[in-house]
Amino acid sequence: MRRGRPVATLALAALALAGCNRMLLPGHERCPADGGRPWHEYQSGHFVVDTDLDAPAAAALVDDLERIRALVTAALVGNALEIPGYVRVVVPTSMYTYHAVAPQMAVGYFGVGGLGEPTVVLHPEFLGRDPEVIAHELTHHLSWYLFPRQPRWFAEGIAQFAQTVANKDGPYPSTAGLVPRNGAGHLLEAETMAARQILQPRRIDGEFQMWSWVLYHWLWNERSGGLSEYQRRLGIGEEPKAAWRASFPEFEGEAGLARLTKAIDVHRRKGEFTPYAVHAEWNGAFSVAPLGSADVHMLLLDVGNEERRNVVRSQVLAALEEDPTNPVALRWKAGLEGVSAVPSLRAAAASRPWDWRAWLLLAEALAGDEAKAKRAGDAATAGGAAAPGADVAAPRGEERSREALGRERIDAYRRALELNRSSSRAHAGLARALAEGGRAAEAVPDARRAVELWPSDPAAIATLARIAADLGACEEARPLLARATDLLPKKGAAEARRQLSAAERRCGAAAASR
């Protein structure tokens, strides 16, 4: 690994000499520093919106986002419950830029931003044409706060049931329970899907999504008592299959499922149902600040489709040319060069102590170095040696002790949270650092807050499970283990899997395998 560093550094230097006369964004649009459209960041009560829309259009967008969120919340709970947390929304005006970062054929998508924030990426044309897109994704995000365990059909069904509140026009404005736009065209012609296939899907596609809506819609209209009980059980974290059996015993077994299949098929053909108008108040006030070119480059890089990151180096170099201490760009640069990001992020945090991102990324880089030092120490204790090419700590006498790295890591997380109390990732990181330092009881409030702010993040849930296990609270840890396992992606999520393994070892209760 060390041998590769000079090559990577030379490659970066060559690109710097050859490629940054014009600092282009993804999609080959000029960035603000090169004469492109200026970007701004708008912060409202529940959103951080990054866009190059002009001011009136951006203000209207923020107001519309707050309107849709308020209506979705009212559709889900029927009152003005304040659900914590925020969503970042990235809205480039250029269709070229949007398609350069978006998955193919996507009219909007929800994911995880580079700072661990729930993030939606949209194009204003798509949002104006179909506001249900953002309502659907917001329902997904908010519903996890209300229903911490959800089967896939329920998640898709309730999202489509609530998404129709986003529509302003037509005979039924702000109304839940209408036929969603994405299913209206083939609702009557679609082949019948068996209830078993909906409840236990083998594939996730447009047909499954439509039938998930049909099932949820039928239950709401025809089995409202059972649906309320089912949602109550999901709300307290009950295992979804057990919740279904307790709420709908009449649909157990082959005969019960056959009756359910027939009932929902008749329902989608009859077209008789009762939607309901939703009323809510919202506050579209916001603050606004310019967004520098470096931040725009890194923002689009962090939300970009993984398969299209062939311009990573050029984007990183463009950002550092504009802002040499940009912490996100420094993190990317260290990754490209295969070196620790700690020295550059320490310098960034010192030069911009007001920037919560610098402290968060420094804390995470310290966690990585601390883990490497631990592995090297464990190998030495066992009489072995570090793996060939392993990036072990700096020479003796210069490397801080693991304990000192741990203290610095905790301090950095706390500085990040002083500047941004709404970062789930910072709360979860601080909780892990405290727990790994033998201070599990002290970590509980931050671990709980991380899950409150992002209740569908498996890493945050796994951290809370691990801390509960460390404290011997295995009755609390076991449902958290199951909940985090439900949400784990098939690949990746290394930190979440590590925390789950630690909790499983402590409690002796392995989560269900995937």
Side-chain angles (χ1 to χ4, degrees), residues 126-477:
F126 296 144
L127 181 59
R129 196 165 59 205
D130 187 2
E132 291 184 23
V133 170
I134 185 68
H136 182 95
E137 299 302 342
L138 285 177
T139 306
H140 275 311
H141 177 64
L142 297 173
S143 69
W144 284 106
Y145 184 83
L146 303 168
F147 311 110
R149 295 196 70 181
Q150 300 179 22
R152 181 59 68 91
W153 77 265
F154 178 86
E156 290 299 332
I158 197 171
Q160 292 177 90
F161 186 87
Q163 75 182 50
T164 57
V165 299
N167 297 305
K168 294 180 180 179
D169 304 319
Y172 303 104
S174 304
T175 299
L178 297 171
V179 180
R181 293 189 186 189
N182 55 1
H186 59 286
L187 179 62
L188 297 179
E189 292 77 19
E191 183 178 346
T192 302
M193 181 174 287
R196 180 180 298 280
Q197 292 179 279
I198 305 171
L199 295 172
Q200 299 177 341
R202 295 181 180 178
R203 69 183 196 274
I204 308 299
D205 56 16
E207 293 297 301
F208 166 77
Q209 291 179 328
M210 188 197 75
W211 280 103
S212 295
W213 171 80
V214 172
L215 174 56
Y216 186 91
H217 197 269
W218 181 80
L219 291 172
W220 192 89
N221 279 272
E222 304 294 336
R223 295 290 189 278
S224 59
L227 181 60
S228 294
E229 175 63 11
Y230 181 63
Q231 293 186 162
R232 184 192 70 80
R233 291 174 176 274
L234 294 181
I236 62 175
E238 189 169 314
E239 194 276 323
K241 290 182 181 178
W244 176 269
R245 288 194 298 270
S247 305
F248 303 108
E250 67 270 34
F251 299 132
E252 281 297 294
E254 291 299 326
L257 289 173
R259 288 195 300 272
L260 181 58
T261 299
K262 181 177 180 180
I264 61 177
D265 189 40
V266 170
H267 179 70
R268 63 97 176 220
R269 295 181 187 279
K270 282 176 61 178
E272 295 179 1
F273 55 88
T274 306
Y276 66 99
V278 177
H279 303 282
E281 295 182 357
W282 67 92
N283 184 351
F286 58 84
S287 61
V288 60
L291 200 63
S293 286
D295 288 329
V296 177
H297 282 286
M298 293 299 93
L299 177 71
L300 295 172
L301 184 58
D302 276 337
V303 302
N305 185 357
E306 291 283 350
E307 298 177 357
R308 300 184 183 182
R309 286 184 171 172
N310 58 340
V311 292
V312 170
R313 283 184 170 84
S314 63
Q315 292 297 302
V316 171
L317 286 169
L320 290 173
E321 183 175 317
E322 169 71 14
D323 180 1
T325 64
N326 184 280
V328 181
L330 291 173
R331 177 194 61 181
W332 273 99
K333 182 174 182 290
L336 290 169
E337 294 181 338
V339 300
S340 169
V342 167
S344 61
L345 288 171
R346 276 191 187 126
S351 67
R352 48 204 299 161
W354 42 265
D355 191 339
W356 74 277
R357 303 172 305 167
W359 296 107
L360 172 66
L361 296 178
L362 172 59
E364 293 179 343
L366 287 162
D369 282 13
E370 190 180 351
K372 289 177 184 177
K374 183 180 186 302
R375 287 195 297 269
D378 290 346
T381 301
D391 187 7
V392 296
R396 293 179 186 176
E398 297 181 10
E399 180 57 47
R400 296 184 175 194
S401 68
R402 279 170 39 207
E403 292 78 11
L405 286 174
R407 288 193 298 271
E408 185 183 3
R409 175 185 170 198
I410 289 171
D411 289 343
Y413 275 126
R414 283 181 168 153
R415 292 294 299 275
L417 286 169
E418 287 172 4
L419 297 162
N420 181 7
R421 297 295 300 173
S422 296
S423 171
S424 173
R425 190 151 120 185
H427 281 288
L430 176 57
R432 283 193 295 272
L434 290 168
E436 290 167 8
R439 300 157 65 180
E442 188 180 343
V444 170
D446 282 290
R448 291 193 186 282
R449 186 58 176 165
V451 176
E452 287 177 358
L453 289 167
W454 195 347
S456 62
D457 179 17
I461 300 165
T463 295
L464 182 56
R466 180 258 172 88
I467 290 168
D470 284 353
L471 294 171
C474 289
E475 290 305 308
E476 179 182 353

Side-chain angles (χ1 to χ4, degrees), residues 78-100:
N79 57 50
L81 175 69
E82 180 57 34
I83 297 176
Y86 67 96
V87 176
R88 185 174 293 275
V89 182
V90 181
V91 186
T93 60
S94 166
M95 190 67 79
Y96 295 109
T97 298
Y98 175 80
H99 284 304

Side-chain angles (χ1 to χ4, degrees), residues 432 436 458-459 461-470 474 477-478 480-482 484-485 488 492-514:
R432 283 193 295 272
E436 290 167 8
I461 300 165
T463 295
L464 182 56
R466 180 258 172 88
I467 290 168
D470 284 353
C474 289
R478 288 190 182 102
L480 289 167
L481 286 167
T485 303
L488 278 175
E495 180 58 43
R497 295 180 193 280
R498 187 170 72 85
Q499 298 298 321
L500 284 174
S501 295
E504 290 163 8
R505 288 193 301 270
R506 184 64 182 262
C507 287
S513 60
R514 289 183 68 86

